[in-house]
Amino acid sequence: MTANSKAAIAERLAEARERTLALVEPLDDEQLNTVYSLILSPLAWDLGHIANFEELWLVQTVGAREPMHGDLGRFYDAIENPRVTRGELPILRDTELRAYMADVRERALDVLDSVDLAADAEDPLLREGFVYEMLLAHELQHNETMLQLLQMVDGYESELVEDALAVGPVAPGPETVAIPAGEYEIGARERGFAYDNERDRHPIELGAFEIDRTPVTNAAYAEFIEDTGVEAPMYWERDGSAGWVNAARGRRAPIDPVHPVIHVSWEGADAFARWAGKRLPSEQEWEAARPRLEGVGHGWEWTASAFLPYPGFRAFPYPEYSEPFFGPEHMVLRGSSWATHPDVVRPSFRNWDLPQRRQIFSGLRCARDA
Ligand code: AVJ
Ligand code: FE
């Protein structure tokens, strides 16, 4: 790799950090330390965790340097510290937190100067800049987690949120696309950054199925709720007699009937699909159909698939990203949401969460056997 691409990496790291800091810019230190939800971290934890993850990989692992704050890292370990405990931890806060983020970045850029990122580099972490891609993805993914929390902050306003939420309506047109039975390739290709859970790319057999060209809209979900009494999406509140408003960020904004529904649990998504006489697609069906789907990108889409390893799965570079979550208790979401940075999005990307969760920007589309 050339000096040019090192410059490109440094530039992208700077852009991700700008985005992270822009998200919290409207908040004061007290708000950063507030526990708004027991299923989400206080923002100060996310910020320190982003920097600590960077120190761990780009400074300690790649640069062979000692940690700057002794064993501080154990408080930012996501597995050791479940979200419900994160408000109480002796993590960095306020001025110290900001200084740590800046110091880590300075060291990481210093190390970047001296590493070999060639395609034939000896260390697989460095080959084609893998570890830097991982770092970027990690910070940008935490931006989305932060945006989940920011929906709970009354009065939170940000241009970034306004712009990203300004989606068009779900386009009218033919309702479903037919996908023929056959063999399809699933998973990430050999080259390019992907997480361990997206490999190995492998063939699968699918029966013929139909999948909705567009995701389920707010109007359709509202009709389903009225008909069944199923729990409304998170942040929906009754508006007078019949309608609903969206109370995210402490505001009461109209819900646009033609926009894709979000903040739906897997349980709600699955119930909707059955109510509509259909079912959720499997994640393999979703990936096979991906080139023919519209409306992808406003909300993650729940699938019928539990989060399981692909054949030949090997944890890389650290087991805690995927392995502890494999099993029937986590369901896969595909696509991306308005809060997902484009650099995180690819057809093979697998997201997951517990089936009752609604704080994520999650909707659905339906499928059925042909
Ligand atoms: C892929 C969104 C489920 O937030 O738990 C961030 C991403 N992993 N740091 C999560 C992640 C480690 C992960 N999800
Ligand atoms: Fe993380």
Side-chain angles (χ1 to χ4, degrees), residues 163-232:
D163 292 351
L165 274 173
V167 287
V170 167
E175 296 236 306
T176 62
V177 290
I179 309 291
E183 192 179 279
Y184 293 86
E185 291 265 320
I186 298 299
R189 291 171 197 284
E190 192 72 32
R191 303 265 325 252
F193 176 79
Y195 283 110
D196 52 8
N197 64 55
E198 296 163 62
R199 302 187 189 282
D200 286 337
R201 192 169 168 85
H202 59 286
I204 48 134
E205 286 289 335
L206 292 179
F209 67 100
E210 285 173 13
I211 186 163
D212 287 358
R213 204 173 45 83
T214 56
V216 170
T217 61
N218 285 322
Y221 208 83
E223 195 188 331
F224 158 67
I225 296 170
E226 303 303 342
D227 198 45
T228 58
V230 163
E231 181 184 50

Coordinates of all heavy atoms in Angstrom, one line a residue, residues 163-232:
D163 N -31.2 15.4 8.2 CA -30.9 15.1 6.8 C -31.1 13.6 6.5 O -31.7 13.2 5.5 CB -29.4 15.4 6.5 CG -29.2 16.9 6.5 OD1 -30.2 17.7 6.5 OD2 -28.0 17.3 6.4
A164 N -30.6 12.8 7.5 CA -30.7 11.3 7.3 C -32.2 10.8 7.3 O -32.5 9.9 6.7 CB -29.9 10.6 8.3
L165 N -33.0 11.5 8.1 CA -34.4 11.1 8.2 C -35.2 11.5 7.1 O -36.4 11.1 6.9 CB -35.0 11.6 9.5 CG -34.7 10.7 10.7 CD1 -35.2 11.5 12.0 CD2 -35.4 9.4 10.6
A166 N -34.7 12.5 6.2 CA -35.5 13.0 5.1 C -35.5 12.0 4.0 O -35.0 12.3 2.9 CB -34.9 14.3 4.7
V167 N -36.2 10.9 4.2 CA -36.3 9.9 3.1 C -37.5 10.1 2.3 O -38.5 10.8 2.7 CB -36.4 8.4 3.7 CG1 -35.1 8.0 4.2 CG2 -37.5 8.3 4.7
G168 N -37.5 9.6 1.1 CA -38.7 9.7 0.2 C -39.7 8.6 0.6 O -39.4 7.8 1.5
P169 N -40.9 8.7 0.0 CA -41.9 7.7 0.3 C -41.5 6.3 -0.3 O -40.7 6.3 -1.2 CB -43.1 8.2 -0.3 CG -42.6 9.1 -1.4 CD -41.3 9.7 -0.9
V170 N -42.1 5.3 0.2 CA -41.9 4.0 -0.4 C -42.6 4.0 -1.8 O -43.8 4.4 -1.9 CB -42.6 2.9 0.5 CG1 -42.7 1.6 -0.3 CG2 -41.8 2.7 1.7
A171 N -41.9 3.7 -2.9 CA -42.4 3.9 -4.2 C -43.5 2.9 -4.5 O -43.4 1.7 -4.2 CB -41.2 3.6 -5.2
P172 N -44.5 3.4 -5.2 CA -45.6 2.5 -5.7 C -45.1 1.6 -6.8 O -44.1 2.0 -7.4 CB -46.7 3.4 -6.1 CG -46.0 4.7 -6.4 CD -44.7 4.8 -5.7
G173 N -45.8 0.6 -7.2 CA -45.4 -0.3 -8.3 C -45.7 -1.7 -8.1 O -46.4 -2.0 -7.1
P174 N -45.2 -2.6 -8.9 CA -45.5 -4.0 -8.6 C -45.1 -4.5 -7.2 O -44.0 -4.1 -6.7 CB -44.6 -4.8 -9.7 CG -43.7 -3.7 -10.3 CD -44.3 -2.4 -10.0
E175 N -45.9 -5.2 -6.6 CA -45.8 -5.5 -5.2 C -44.6 -6.4 -4.8 O -43.9 -6.2 -3.9 CB -47.1 -6.0 -4.7 CG -48.2 -5.1 -4.8 CD -48.9 -4.8 -3.4 OE1 -49.2 -5.9 -2.8 OE2 -48.9 -3.7 -3.0
T176 N -44.5 -7.5 -5.5 CA -43.6 -8.5 -5.1 C -42.7 -8.9 -6.3 O -43.0 -8.6 -7.4 CB -44.3 -9.8 -4.7 OG1 -45.0 -10.4 -5.7 CG2 -45.2 -9.6 -3.5
V177 N -41.5 -9.4 -5.9 CA -40.6 -9.9 -7.0 C -40.5 -11.4 -6.7 O -40.5 -11.9 -5.6 CB -39.2 -9.3 -7.0 CG1 -39.3 -7.8 -7.5 CG2 -38.6 -9.3 -5.6
A178 N -40.5 -12.2 -7.8 CA -40.4 -13.6 -7.8 C -38.9 -14.1 -7.9 O -38.3 -13.7 -8.9 CB -41.3 -14.2 -8.9
I179 N -38.5 -14.9 -7.0 CA -37.1 -15.4 -7.0 C -37.2 -16.9 -7.3 O -37.8 -17.6 -6.5 CB -36.4 -15.1 -5.7 CG1 -36.5 -13.6 -5.3 CG2 -34.9 -15.5 -5.8 CD1 -35.8 -12.6 -6.1
P180 N -36.6 -17.3 -8.4 CA -36.7 -18.7 -8.8 C -35.9 -19.6 -7.8 O -34.9 -19.2 -7.2 CB -36.1 -18.8 -10.2 CG -35.3 -17.5 -10.3 CD -35.8 -16.5 -9.4
A181 N -36.3 -20.9 -7.8 CA -35.6 -21.9 -7.0 C -34.2 -22.0 -7.6 O -34.0 -21.8 -8.8 CB -36.3 -23.2 -7.0
G182 N -33.2 -22.4 -6.8 CA -31.9 -22.6 -7.4 C -30.8 -22.4 -6.3 O -31.0 -22.3 -5.1
E183 N -29.5 -22.4 -6.8 CA -28.4 -22.3 -5.9 C -27.9 -20.8 -5.9 O -27.8 -20.2 -7.0 CB -27.2 -23.2 -6.4 CG -26.1 -23.3 -5.4 CD -25.0 -24.2 -5.9 OE1 -25.2 -25.5 -5.8 OE2 -24.0 -23.7 -6.4
Y184 N -27.7 -20.3 -4.7 CA -27.3 -18.9 -4.6 C -26.0 -18.9 -3.7 O -25.9 -19.7 -2.8 CB -28.4 -18.1 -4.0 CG -29.6 -17.9 -4.9 CD1 -30.6 -18.9 -4.9 CD2 -29.7 -16.8 -5.7 CE1 -31.7 -18.7 -5.7 CE2 -30.8 -16.7 -6.6 CZ -31.8 -17.7 -6.6 OH -32.9 -17.5 -7.4
E185 N -25.1 -17.9 -4.0 CA -23.9 -17.7 -3.2 C -24.2 -16.7 -2.1 O -24.7 -15.6 -2.4 CB -22.8 -17.2 -4.1 CG -22.3 -18.2 -5.1 CD -21.1 -18.9 -4.6 OE1 -20.2 -18.3 -3.9 OE2 -21.0 -20.1 -4.8
I186 N -23.9 -17.1 -0.8 CA -24.2 -16.2 0.3 C -22.8 -15.9 1.0 O -22.0 -16.8 1.2 CB -25.1 -16.9 1.3 CG1 -26.5 -17.2 0.6 CG2 -25.3 -16.2 2.6 CD1 -27.2 -16.0 0.1
G187 N -22.7 -14.7 1.5 CA -21.5 -14.3 2.3 C -20.6 -13.4 1.6 O -20.8 -13.1 0.4
A188 N -19.5 -13.0 2.3 CA -18.6 -12.0 1.8 C -17.6 -12.6 0.9 O -17.1 -13.8 1.1 CB -17.9 -11.3 2.9
R189 N -17.2 -11.9 -0.2 CA -16.2 -12.4 -1.1 C -14.8 -12.4 -0.4 O -14.7 -11.7 0.6 CB -16.1 -11.6 -2.4 CG -17.3 -11.8 -3.2 CD -17.4 -10.8 -4.4 NE -18.8 -10.7 -4.9 CZ -19.3 -11.7 -5.7 NH1 -18.5 -12.7 -6.1 NH2 -20.5 -11.6 -6.1
E190 N -13.9 -13.1 -0.9 CA -12.5 -13.2 -0.4 C -11.9 -11.9 -0.1 O -11.4 -11.6 1.0 CB -11.7 -14.0 -1.3 CG -10.4 -14.5 -0.8 CD -10.5 -15.6 0.2 OE1 -11.5 -16.4 0.1 OE2 -9.7 -15.7 1.2
R191 N -11.9 -11.0 -1.1 CA -11.3 -9.7 -1.0 C -12.2 -8.7 -0.3 O -13.4 -8.8 -0.4 CB -10.8 -9.2 -2.4 CG -10.0 -10.1 -3.2 CD -8.5 -9.8 -3.0 NE -8.1 -8.4 -2.9 CZ -7.5 -7.7 -3.9 NH1 -7.3 -8.2 -5.0 NH2 -7.1 -6.5 -3.6
G192 N -11.6 -7.7 0.3 CA -12.3 -6.6 0.9 C -12.7 -6.9 2.4 O -12.7 -8.0 2.8
F193 N -13.0 -5.8 3.1 CA -13.2 -6.0 4.5 C -14.6 -6.6 4.8 O -15.6 -6.3 4.1 CB -13.2 -4.6 5.2 CG -13.6 -4.7 6.7 CD1 -12.7 -5.2 7.6 CD2 -14.9 -4.4 7.1 CE1 -13.1 -5.4 8.9 CE2 -15.3 -4.6 8.4 CZ -14.4 -5.0 9.3
A194 N -14.7 -7.5 5.7 CA -15.9 -8.1 6.2 C -15.7 -8.7 7.6 O -14.5 -9.0 7.9 CB -16.5 -9.2 5.2
Y195 N -16.7 -8.8 8.4 CA -16.6 -9.4 9.7 C -16.5 -11.0 9.5 O -17.0 -11.5 8.5 CB -17.7 -9.1 10.6 CG -17.6 -7.7 11.2 CD1 -18.4 -6.6 10.8 CD2 -16.6 -7.4 12.1 CE1 -18.2 -5.4 11.3 CE2 -16.4 -6.1 12.6 CZ -17.2 -5.1 12.2 OH -17.1 -3.9 12.8
D196 N -15.9 -11.6 10.5 CA -15.8 -13.1 10.5 C -17.1 -13.8 10.2 O -17.1 -14.8 9.5 CB -15.1 -13.6 11.8 CG -15.8 -13.1 13.1 OD1 -16.9 -12.5 13.0 OD2 -15.2 -13.3 14.1
N197 N -18.2 -13.2 10.8 CA -19.5 -13.9 10.6 C -20.1 -13.9 9.2 O -21.1 -14.6 9.0 CB -20.5 -13.4 11.7 CG -20.9 -11.9 11.4 OD1 -21.3 -11.6 10.3 ND2 -20.7 -11.1 12.4
E198 N -19.4 -13.1 8.3 CA -19.9 -13.1 6.9 C -19.2 -14.1 6.0 O -19.4 -14.2 4.8 CB -19.7 -11.7 6.3 CG -20.5 -10.6 7.0 CD -20.0 -9.2 6.7 OE1 -20.0 -8.8 5.6 OE2 -19.5 -8.5 7.7
R199 N -18.2 -14.8 6.6 CA -17.4 -15.8 5.9 C -17.7 -17.2 6.4 O -18.1 -17.3 7.5 CB -15.9 -15.4 6.0 CG -15.6 -14.0 5.5 CD -14.1 -13.8 5.5 NE -13.8 -12.4 5.2 CZ -13.8 -11.8 4.0 NH1 -14.1 -12.5 3.0 NH2 -13.5 -10.6 3.9
D200 N -17.4 -18.2 5.6 CA -17.0 -18.2 4.2 C -18.2 -18.0 3.3 O -19.3 -18.4 3.6 CB -16.3 -19.5 3.8 CG -14.9 -19.6 4.4 OD1 -14.3 -18.6 4.8 OD2 -14.4 -20.8 4.6
R201 N -17.9 -17.4 2.2 CA -19.0 -17.4 1.1 C -19.2 -18.8 0.7 O -18.3 -19.6 0.6 CB -18.5 -16.6 -0.1 CG -19.5 -16.2 -1.1 CD -19.0 -15.2 -2.0 NE -19.9 -15.0 -3.2 CZ -20.9 -14.2 -3.2 NH1 -21.2 -13.5 -2.2 NH2 -21.7 -14.1 -4.3
H202 N -20.5 -19.1 0.6 CA -20.9 -20.5 0.4 C -22.2 -20.6 -0.4 O -23.0 -19.7 -0.3 CB -21.0 -21.3 1.7 CG -22.0 -20.7 2.6 ND1 -21.9 -19.5 3.3 CD2 -23.3 -21.1 3.0 CE1 -22.9 -19.3 4.0 NE2 -23.8 -20.2 3.8
P203 N -22.3 -21.7 -1.1 CA -23.6 -21.9 -1.9 C -24.7 -22.4 -1.0 O -24.5 -23.2 -0.1 CB -23.2 -23.0 -3.0 CG -22.1 -23.7 -2.3 CD -21.4 -22.8 -1.3
I204 N -25.9 -22.0 -1.3 CA -27.1 -22.5 -0.6 C -28.2 -22.8 -1.6 O -28.2 -22.2 -2.7 CB -27.6 -21.6 0.4 CG1 -27.8 -20.1 -0.2 CG2 -26.8 -21.5 1.7 CD1 -29.0 -19.5 0.2
E205 N -29.1 -23.7 -1.3 CA -30.2 -24.0 -2.2 C -31.4 -23.3 -1.6 O -31.7 -23.3 -0.4 CB -30.5 -25.5 -2.1 CG -29.6 -26.4 -2.8 CD -29.7 -26.3 -4.3 OE1 -30.8 -26.0 -4.8 OE2 -28.7 -26.6 -5.0
L206 N -32.1 -22.6 -2.5 CA -33.4 -21.9 -2.1 C -34.5 -22.5 -2.9 O -34.4 -22.7 -4.2 CB -33.3 -20.4 -2.3 CG -32.3 -19.7 -1.3 CD1 -32.3 -18.2 -1.7 CD2 -32.7 -19.9 0.1
G207 N -35.7 -22.7 -2.3 CA -36.9 -22.9 -3.0 C -37.4 -21.6 -3.7 O -37.0 -20.5 -3.3
A208 N -38.3 -21.7 -4.6 CA -38.9 -20.5 -5.2 C -39.7 -19.7 -4.2 O -40.4 -20.3 -3.4 CB -39.8 -20.9 -6.4
F209 N -39.5 -18.4 -4.2 CA -40.2 -17.6 -3.2 C -40.5 -16.2 -3.8 O -39.9 -15.9 -4.8 CB -39.5 -17.5 -1.9 CG -38.2 -16.7 -2.0 CD1 -38.1 -15.3 -1.6 CD2 -37.0 -17.3 -2.4 CE1 -36.9 -14.6 -1.7 CE2 -35.8 -16.6 -2.5 CZ -35.8 -15.3 -2.1
E210 N -41.5 -15.5 -3.2 CA -41.8 -14.1 -3.6 C -41.4 -13.3 -2.4 O -41.6 -13.7 -1.2 CB -43.3 -14.0 -3.9 CG -43.7 -14.6 -5.2 CD -45.2 -14.6 -5.3 OE1 -45.9 -13.9 -4.5 OE2 -45.7 -15.3 -6.2
I211 N -40.9 -12.1 -2.7 CA -40.6 -11.2 -1.6 C -41.1 -9.8 -2.0 O -41.1 -9.4 -3.1 CB -39.0 -11.2 -1.3 CG1 -38.7 -10.3 -0.1 CG2 -38.2 -10.7 -2.5 CD1 -37.3 -10.6 0.5
D212 N -41.6 -9.1 -1.0 CA -42.1 -7.7 -1.2 C -41.0 -6.8 -1.7 O -39.9 -6.9 -1.2 CB -42.7 -7.1 0.1 CG -44.0 -7.7 0.5 OD1 -44.5 -8.6 -0.3 OD2 -44.5 -7.3 1.5
R213 N -41.3 -6.1 -2.8 CA -40.3 -5.2 -3.4 C -39.9 -4.1 -2.4 O -38.8 -3.6 -2.4 CB -40.9 -4.6 -4.6 CG -39.9 -4.2 -5.7 CD -40.6 -3.8 -7.0 NE -41.8 -2.9 -6.6 CZ -41.7 -1.6 -6.4 NH1 -40.6 -1.0 -6.6 NH2 -42.8 -0.9 -6.1
T214 N -40.8 -3.7 -1.5 CA -40.6 -2.6 -0.6 C -40.9 -3.0 0.8 O -41.7 -4.0 1.1 CB -41.6 -1.4 -1.0 OG1 -42.9 -1.9 -1.0 CG2 -41.2 -0.9 -2.4
P215 N -40.4 -2.3 1.8 CA -40.6 -2.6 3.2 C -42.0 -2.2 3.6 O -42.7 -1.4 2.9 CB -39.6 -1.8 3.9 CG -39.1 -0.7 3.0 CD -39.4 -1.2 1.6
V216 N -42.4 -2.7 4.7 CA -43.8 -2.4 5.3 C -43.8 -0.9 5.7 O -42.9 -0.4 6.3 CB -44.1 -3.3 6.5 CG1 -45.3 -2.9 7.3 CG2 -44.2 -4.8 6.0
T217 N -44.9 -0.3 5.4 CA -45.0 1.2 5.7 C -45.7 1.4 7.1 O -46.3 0.5 7.6 CB -45.9 1.9 4.6 OG1 -47.2 1.3 4.7 CG2 -45.4 1.7 3.2
N218 N -45.6 2.6 7.5 CA -46.2 3.0 8.8 C -47.7 2.8 8.7 O -48.4 2.4 9.6 CB -46.0 4.5 9.0 CG -44.6 4.8 9.5 OD1 -44.0 4.0 10.3 ND2 -44.0 5.9 9.1
A219 N -48.3 3.1 7.5 CA -49.8 3.0 7.3 C -50.2 1.5 7.5 O -51.2 1.2 8.2 CB -50.2 3.5 6.0
A220 N -49.5 0.6 6.9 CA -49.8 -0.8 7.0 C -49.6 -1.3 8.4 O -50.4 -2.1 8.9 CB -48.9 -1.6 6.0
Y221 N -48.6 -0.8 9.1 CA -48.3 -1.3 10.4 C -49.4 -0.8 11.4 O -49.8 -1.4 12.3 CB -46.9 -0.9 10.9 CG -46.4 -1.9 12.0 CD1 -45.8 -3.1 11.6 CD2 -46.6 -1.6 13.3 CE1 -45.4 -4.0 12.5 CE2 -46.1 -2.5 14.3 CZ -45.5 -3.7 13.9 OH -45.1 -4.6 14.8
A222 N -49.9 0.5 11.1 CA -50.9 1.1 12.0 C -52.2 0.3 11.8 O -52.9 0.0 12.8 CB -51.1 2.5 11.6
E223 N -52.5 -0.2 10.6 CA -53.7 -1.0 10.4 C -53.6 -2.3 11.1 O -54.6 -2.7 11.8 CB -53.8 -1.2 8.9 CG -55.2 -1.7 8.4 CD -55.1 -2.1 6.9 OE1 -54.3 -1.6 6.2 OE2 -55.9 -3.1 6.6
F224 N -52.4 -2.9 11.1 CA -52.2 -4.1 11.8 C -52.4 -4.0 13.3 O -53.0 -4.8 14.0 CB -50.8 -4.6 11.5 CG -50.1 -5.5 12.4 CD1 -50.6 -6.8 12.6 CD2 -49.0 -5.1 13.1 CE1 -50.0 -7.7 13.5 CE2 -48.3 -6.0 14.0 CZ -48.8 -7.3 14.2
I225 N -51.9 -2.9 13.9 CA -52.0 -2.6 15.3 C -53.5 -2.5 15.7 O -54.0 -3.0 16.7 CB -51.3 -1.3 15.7 CG1 -49.8 -1.5 15.5 CG2 -51.6 -1.0 17.2 CD1 -49.1 -0.1 15.7
E226 N -54.2 -1.7 14.9 CA -55.7 -1.4 15.2 C -56.4 -2.8 15.1 O -57.3 -3.0 15.9 CB -56.3 -0.5 14.1 CG -55.7 0.9 14.0 CD -55.6 1.7 15.3 OE1 -56.3 1.3 16.2 OE2 -54.8 2.6 15.3
D227 N -56.0 -3.6 14.2 CA -56.7 -4.9 14.0 C -56.4 -5.9 15.1 O -57.3 -6.7 15.5 CB -56.3 -5.4 12.6 CG -57.3 -6.5 12.1 OD1 -58.5 -6.2 12.3 OD2 -56.9 -7.5 11.7
T228 N -55.2 -5.9 15.6 CA -54.8 -7.0 16.5 C -54.5 -6.5 17.9 O -54.4 -7.4 18.8 CB -53.5 -7.6 16.0 OG1 -52.5 -6.5 15.9 CG2 -53.6 -8.2 14.6
G229 N -54.3 -5.2 18.1 CA -53.9 -4.8 19.5 C -52.5 -5.1 19.8 O -52.1 -4.9 21.0
V230 N -51.7 -5.5 18.9 CA -50.2 -5.7 19.1 C -49.6 -4.4 19.5 O -50.0 -3.3 19.0 CB -49.6 -6.3 17.8 CG1 -48.1 -6.2 17.8 CG2 -50.0 -7.8 17.7
E231 N -48.5 -4.5 20.3 CA -47.8 -3.3 20.8 C -47.3 -2.4 19.6 O -46.8 -2.9 18.6 CB -46.5 -3.8 21.5 CG -45.6 -2.8 22.1 CD -44.4 -3.5 22.7 OE1 -43.7 -4.3 22.0 OE2 -44.1 -3.1 23.8
A232 N -47.5 -1.1 19.8 CA -47.1 -0.1 18.7 C -45.5 0.0 18.7 O -44.8 -0.4 19.6 CB -47.6 1.2 19.0

